[in-house]
Amino acid sequence: MKDVKTVGIIGFGVMGAAIGQNAAANGYRVVYKELNDDLVKSMYDKFVVKPLTKRVGQAKMTQADMDKICGMISGTTSYNDLKACDLIIEAAIEKMDLKIQIFGELSDACPKDTIIVSNTSTFLIEKLMEKVENPARTAGLHYFFPANVNRLVEVIRQKNTSDETYQALMAFCKQNKKVPITVKDFPGFAINPIFISSYLVLNSFYGEKYNAATLEKISQETLGVKYGIMWVQNGSGLGTAYHAGASMVDYLAGTDIGFPPVPDQLKKMFEGGKLWNLEDGPVLENRAERAVVGNSLLGSIFCISTHLIEKGVVSVKDLELGVCTALAWPKGPFTLMNEMGMDEAFKRVKMAVDAGYFKMPRKFASGDLKPWDL
């Protein structure tokens, strides 16, 4: 198995810098690439020096620890300076053509055994790596925001990924104190299809009857979370939410899985440059009307989770672990189904199917209502 000691990062924005800072704090030498000398310096000051200085000021870190981490991170404008890297993580903006070009240039510049991965959240890894020589050394490492705090990493195996590459990436994640789960190359991977479909369904109810405050409260109570789905969308930005939703619809709506459409409500908010107003008036108290939304939300979650298992994208155990770790839900989808009872879970699945969100998963279509084996 390849021993990773030096990590390259392409793109040192919010995500790339958090990944790099996490690696440097756990003993890896980090070399990041940016487009020009000004960006190399400004990104280092903004995303390394400034936040670590703040932590020292808050007595959350010693000056000696800060100096050690800063000393492990350096920047460059040249792919040639990444030749010494054992692992290179691409964290550039989400443009497929740009990423394909980056991987082609990396393939030309670096040794043929350098592990090359993408942190993309939407694109298929196999497609991104089409210009890479020796694709056995390619995979996905999908970190979740914020990458230096959120512990989940999806290790994405595309069909060409070798066992050696996969094992090296699992070891790298664990050394970085992350929780890695194994996921097959699939649109959105494992966690995003669940979360994206959840907010598309929830947003579709926004209007005269259900304000944003009500929808936030319903999601909090339905999932047992402190911060609901509307709040999380605001944190990521509604532009990100809209584009991720549109991408998933393009990938899956016409397949035997299906996917909820992007509601006009989300499109209008994004185009208007707005966020959901979580204090927009009284919260709807009518229990039956609230249950319509909560049950639709659960039905969507149960449908996509079952489809992911049936497609062999992820194991039941890893999906349960991933949802609880990345999304901070106290219970994963399969625990929720088991505790509710599979007859009740089926009623909610049928609601989601009848609403046109998803096709009926095989398990429920066959009448198999055995509880999930956790």
Side-chain angles (χ1 to χ4, degrees):
M1 185 175 79
K2 190 174 181 67
D3 187 20
V4 176
K5 292 179 179 173
T6 303
V7 180
I9 295 178
I10 308 294
F12 212 62
V14 174
M15 203 69 177
I19 293 169
Q21 199 184 113
N22 177 243
N26 287 287
Y28 294 94
R29 191 160 292 286
V30 174
V31 183
Y32 67 91
K33 182 191 176 295
E34 266 299 349
L35 295 172
N36 56 56
D37 290 333
D38 287 344
L39 277 174
V40 168
K41 184 181 187 313
S42 64
M43 294 301 188
Y44 184 83
D45 291 342
K46 181 178 181 180
F47 290 124
V48 180
V49 176
K50 188 176 178 183
L52 293 184
T53 301
K54 184 179 178 182
R55 287 180 66 80
V56 172
Q58 295 169 332
K60 294 180 178 178
M61 173 183 280
T62 66
Q63 184 65 47
D65 283 341
M66 174 181 162
D67 293 344
K68 186 176 179 183
I69 293 171
C70 288
M72 297 291 278
I73 302 173
S74 61
T76 182
T77 60
S78 171
Y79 284 110
N80 287 329
D81 291 333
L82 302 179
K83 285 181 177 176
C85 296
D86 308 297
L87 164 66
I88 298 175
I89 303 169
E90 171 273 318
I93 57 174
E94 286 287 278
K95 290 187 177 178
M96 183 180 285
D97 291 346
L98 173 66
K99 289 179 187 282
I100 291 171
Q101 178 189 336
I102 286 170
F103 288 122
E105 291 174 358
L106 278 175
S107 180
D108 292 340
C110 295
K112 301 309 172 198
D113 66 340
T114 303
I115 298 174
I116 298 175
V117 304
S118 177
N119 178 55
T120 181
S121 55
T122 53
F123 301 132
L124 291 170
I125 303 300
E126 184 183 353
K127 173 69 176 169
L128 294 181
M129 302 297 180
E130 62 185 23
K131 291 185 178 178
V132 177
E133 196 176 330
N134 183 21
R137 42 79 176 262
T138 68
L141 271 190
H142 182 218
Y143 287 74
F144 287 79
F145 183 82
N148 55 332
V149 177
N150 196 315
R151 294 188 66 211
L152 190 77
V153 179
E154 291 176 310
V155 179
I156 316 298
R157 292 196 74 160
Q158 62 133 315
K159 69 182 184 186
N160 297 306
T161 305
S162 69
D163 290 344
E164 184 185 17
T165 298
Y166 164 73
Q167 288 158 6
L169 292 173
M170 291 293 282
F172 172 74
C173 291
K174 289 171 183 173
Q175 178 67 29
N176 280 294
K177 301 181 178 64
K178 295 296 186 183
V179 176
I181 63 170
T182 306
V183 182
K184 191 171 82 173
D185 203 10
F186 181 82
F189 313 127
I191 306 304
N192 274 345
I194 294 174
F195 184 66
I196 293 169
S197 59
S198 295
Y199 69 66
L200 294 181
V201 168
L202 198 64
N203 293 350
S204 70
F205 284 95
Y206 179 74
E208 287 182 18
K209 186 186 289 187
Y210 301 101
N211 58 22
T214 297
L215 296 174
E216 170 71 359
K217 193 73 176 172
I218 291 170
S219 67
Q220 286 173 321
E221 290 180 354
T222 302
L223 300 170
V225 292
K226 182 178 180 182
Y227 299 104
I229 288 174
M230 307 301 277
W231 184 90
V232 176
Q233 287 177 86
N234 280 352
S236 68
L238 297 194
T240 300
Y242 173 78
H243 289 300
S247 178
M248 290 301 294
V249 169
D250 285 346
Y251 273 124
L252 293 180
T255 70
D256 59 352
I257 294 174
F259 211 76
V262 177
D264 287 340
Q265 294 95 315
L266 175 59
K267 188 170 188 278
K268 284 176 184 169
M269 293 295 283
F270 151 59
E271 288 177 345
K274 297 176 182 175
L275 294 175
W276 300 113
N277 179 3
L278 304 184
E279 298 171 356
D280 61 350
V283 171
L284 180 70
E285 298 294 343
N286 185 299
R287 295 183 73 139
E289 290 179 336
R290 287 165 67 109
V292 170
V293 179
N295 288 333
S296 296
L297 180 60
L298 287 174
S300 167
I301 292 165
F302 297 165
C303 272
I304 187 60
S305 299
T306 305
H307 278 303
L308 289 166
I309 301 306
E310 291 178 352
K311 292 293 183 186
V313 174
V314 64
S315 70
V316 169
K317 185 178 176 183
D318 270 1
L319 189 56
E320 194 84 352
L321 175 63
V323 165
C324 294
T325 305
L327 304 180
W329 295 1
K331 296 174 183 176
F334 306 107
T335 297
L336 287 170
M337 283 189 255
N338 283 357
E339 289 187 354
M340 172 185 293
M342 294 301 287
D343 287 323
E344 288 298 315
F346 173 66
K347 289 177 187 175
R348 288 155 181 78
V349 166
K350 190 170 185 306
M351 278 182 70
V353 173
D354 289 347
Y357 298 149
F358 290 101
K359 306 292 196 304
M360 181 66 77
R362 291 195 306 273
K363 176 180 173 72
F364 292 103
S366 70
D368 173 11
L369 297 182
K370 288 198 300 290
W372 293 95
D373 182 6
L374 302 178

